[in-house]
Amino acid sequence: MAYATQEILLVLTLGGLAYLHFTPWIAAAVVLLLTVVMLSYRQVVHACPNGGGSYEVVSVNLGPSACLVVAASLMVDYVMTVAVSVASGVDNILSAPPRLAEHHVLLAVGFVALLTAMNLRGVRESGRVCAAASPTTPAG
């Protein structure tokens, strides 16, 4: 998901050439951050080969109290991911027919409700819907 990077570059270009020279430094910081995340995930996978994610790793290593922090962080992360994805998607959809811009919030709430309904159906069913909607899905 490149929304944050896209927005950073948008702000830099809006600032004009005065701020554009920061672009390589920001790109280097993003690469460094992704490298640290990748190395951290490698350690987690090595320590917990059976899986489990952040919640499992923290519960095993730090106990149940620390799990509450991880659970709250994951919930905020999931909500923010949906909010940013839906907002960006609706913006992209409304760039084609701009006369629908007055319904921006209604469309966003509708897409969040649709995603919620799909996920409440279960992993397999929501996976089928997403696979069917994917333009790279082979016919047949």
Side-chain angles (χ1 to χ4, degrees), residues 53-113:
S54 304
Y55 188 83
E56 179 69 23
V57 171
V58 170
S59 68
V60 168
N61 293 313
L62 300 176
S65 297
C67 287
L68 296 176
V69 174
V70 172
S73 298
L74 287 171
M75 287 177 59
V76 169
D77 177 46
Y78 297 152
V79 168
M80 292 302 294
T81 299
V82 170
V84 169
S85 298
V86 167
S88 177
V90 169
D91 283 344
N92 286 326
I93 289 170
L94 292 180
S95 67
R99 66 181 179 276
L100 295 177
E102 64 191 40
H103 303 293
H104 187 274
V105 174
L106 184 63
L107 282 170
V109 170
F111 281 119
V112 168

Side-chain angles (χ1 to χ4, degrees), residues 3 21 37 48 56 72 84 114 122-123 132 140:
Y3 306 120
H21 69 278
V37 168
C48 299
E56 179 69 23
V84 169
L114 177 69
V123 175

Side-chain angles (χ1 to χ4, degrees), residues 24-47:
W25 295 105
I26 292 172
V30 169
V31 168
L32 178 66
L33 178 65
L34 290 175
T35 302
V36 169
V37 168
M38 186 258 320
L39 292 173
S40 297
Y41 273 116
R42 284 187 56 159
Q43 287 180 337
V44 169
V45 168
H46 183 68

